[in-house]
Amino acid sequence: MLSGARSGRRRLAAFAALTLSVSLLTACGDDSGPPTLTWYINPDNGGQGRLAEQCAASSNGAYQVDVQVLPNDASQQREQLVRRLAAQDSSIDLMSLDPPFVAEFANAGFLRPFDPGDVATFTTGVLKGPLTTAYWKDQLVAAPFWANTQLLWYRKSVVQAAGVDPGAAGFTWDAMIKAAEGQNKVVGVQANRYEGYMVWINALVVSAGGEIVGNVEAGKDATPEIASPAGDEAARIVGGLARSPAAPPAMPNAIEEDARSSFQGSRGAFMVNWPYVYNAAKEDVASGGISQSVVDDIGWARYPRVTADRPSRPPLGGINLAVGNFTKHPDQAVALVKCVTSLPNNIAYMLDAGNPAARGAAYDDPKVREAFPMADIIRTSINDAGPRPITPYYNDVSTSVQLTWHPPGEVEAPATPKETATFMSDVLQGKRLL
Amino acid sequence: MAVMVEAPAPQTAEVTDRARHERRLGLMLSAPSFLVMVFVTAYPLIYAVVLSLYNYRLTDPEGREFVGLGNYATVLTDPVWWTDFSTTFLITVFSVAVELVLGFAFAFVMYRILRGRSIVRTAILIPYGIVTVVSAYIWRYAFQLDAGFVNQWFGLGDYNFFGQRWSALFVIILSEIWKTTPFISLLLLAGLVQVPEELQEAARVDGATAWQRLKRVTLPNMKAAIMVALLFRTLDAWRIFDNPFIMTAGANKTETLSFLAYRQNVTLVNLGAGSAVSVLLFLTVVVIAFIFVKGFRTDLSQVRGDR
């Protein structure tokens, strides 16, 4: 017994010594070999991880890449990054950043601006929409990687019966709602109290020629602009749809997937949504959820207009890549960004993960055109897209809108936009809590 | 019946050399940990008070400005604070009240049971051993619309418990009760054990009924233990965070004061207003503790089992 205990103790000591020496060795290894860059990514199908591996392999040993996956929810991604960056975490070499957060992060000094010499590499051939979200105070602080936009999806049978053409240049929200009402069908939108609702409201306001907030570089002194004719138009459409028979029953709680299921249902006529819905519908056929005839009946067009005489400005999403300001390996991180955002990799990622590329030329690739029959509309939509307000106080702006515009059935012009403007201004000035 | 309690012997004014030496040694031994405690608790506290005087956003360092007590005025005049205050108050009052009654019942069971004592005690204590976040998930899943079994069991159909304030608060309070009743019963059991058996005997001989014994002998002798249990649980419930965070994320007016502080400080990185909320939360905790200690005349140092 005694000898057993003794040998056990010896084994434990040996294990401790081994652990210590291994950790010492690893610590030494950090300085000698190529640096390992940590890239914080938003969850995807593994496409970013594959790009990371590929870029590390083609760097000729200049760097290794360790991919860390952030939480699912965009606001939780932001929370985690802000917490780490506020503590000057040097392990964040590279991050996949939602465009609305770029201004906030850059303003706080969390992002390392790209050298003027590199700017052309990251901007040439990039579509206009994502490009606008990559700058803060005239400095390029992020590189557009992929971009997203919403299209108008319609059921061919319904528009035929209603006698409208969603692809026509002057197709408006009013015409769409009227067509759906006439056919006793519904229009799918995202109107739950969340970021997706802000996406819709912002698209309506900018499509009407206005903006939700102006003078953004003034930080908390920015001016709410939503109480304007454009804001009123947006409120009229949101409230009007919510109170019309064309509103799906669950509209006040609808997120992307709810809009999709009502669109694919028997009363579906129109829907504004991201391009993933097309492949998702095909997958639903494969799993037996819907029949092939539903997919065959799906048509697509550019985001509808608010006024017939002004082209719509579709929503903009996607991911920008940014280098952390506290990284110990800025050169290697920039090299990784160059590799990931290159045109071939833009194409590869679009085909792999299904996320639209930020570079326009990607849409001319035959494989892309085959996988995305609506490639041209996606490209022009992303190019003409109206980004959400670019302000370091984006969270406050967005939440102010979401709080005052919910439930959509109570949205009225001009009362609601006016209320939003007052509330937002108070929140920005620290006179109200969110 | 009157219970005679011996008055403590008056302390002698003379302090011996040895006692003085021991006292000094005691002070010296505890000084380092006292200093560490002051540093780790006082520093963040003072820093929070300083921050609360500024309008300061972590992500807008240039926009930092001194606003004095402005943040406190903002917080205290904002409906969000008062909604959260009332939510926290409701959760605290209801959960602690029910827990006290249930806790007593459990304490009696644990005290009186003769057979299978360890099994019963373990069974009662299990919920307290579960991490709060885990228990919050358990309750959330149980009451969820799609996957929950509660609606099935009680034939409630599509009733969405987390869809409106009162039903969501009901589930939150229920889970809080389930989770911490063992704690309160444990404290009460400790108090129960200290009630001298002779007093019970004497009361029984005098012909007191069970209810009279409980009211006149057991409860008065447990006063200190009850107050400690109430104080601990009230403070605990007042700082509730996990359950609403997991179950509703604060939707439908189920946000509590801790949650508000978290949201201002962590989500919005609004350190000025966030610190003001935290300091106010701290002050409410102090007030609660003060009310308990002074209002109920509880001398915490007496709860040592030496009665």
Side-chain angles (χ1 to χ4, degrees), chain A residues 17-35:
Chain A
L18 189 72
T19 322
L20 190 68
S21 52
V22 165
S23 56
L24 283 175
L25 278 175
T26 343
C28 294
D30 277 350
D31 293 333
S32 55

Side-chain angles (χ1 to χ4, degrees), chain B residues 272-288:
Chain B
S275 299
V277 171
S278 307
V279 170
L280 286 171
L281 183 62
F282 170 75
L283 290 179
T284 57
V285 167
V286 171
V287 167
I288 292 173

Side-chain angles (χ1 to χ4, degrees), chain A residues 136-224:
Chain A
W136 176 245
K137 294 191 172 166
D138 297 327
Q139 266 189 321
L140 187 74
V141 290
F145 169 33
W146 61 273
N148 214 349
T149 189
Q150 289 199 348
L151 303 184
L152 167 61
W153 305 88
Y154 59 87
R155 297 286 283 266
K156 293 174 193 162
S157 54
V158 178
V159 300
Q160 205 174 6
V164 291
D165 178 14
F171 193 66
T172 60
W173 277 89
D174 291 337
M176 175 169 75
I177 295 169
K178 210 173 133 204
E181 280 173 356
Q183 298 298 310
N184 191 25
K185 302 280 182 184
V186 294
V187 177
V189 289
Q190 293 87 47
N192 197 356
R193 213 178 79 181
Y194 81 127
E195 184 58 28
Y197 191 29
M198 171 69 177
V199 167
W200 181 30
I201 297 166
N202 182 67
L204 292 174
V205 174
V206 295
S207 292
E211 56 183 349
I212 287 181
V213 62
N215 187 23
V216 288
E217 295 207 350
K220 61 182 192 281
D221 297 319
T223 0

Side-chain angles (χ1 to χ4, degrees), chain A residues 70 83 134 186 192 196 261 276 312 324 366 407:
Chain A
L70 291 166
R83 267 207 304 251
V186 294
N192 197 356
S261 75
Y276 86 94
S312 65

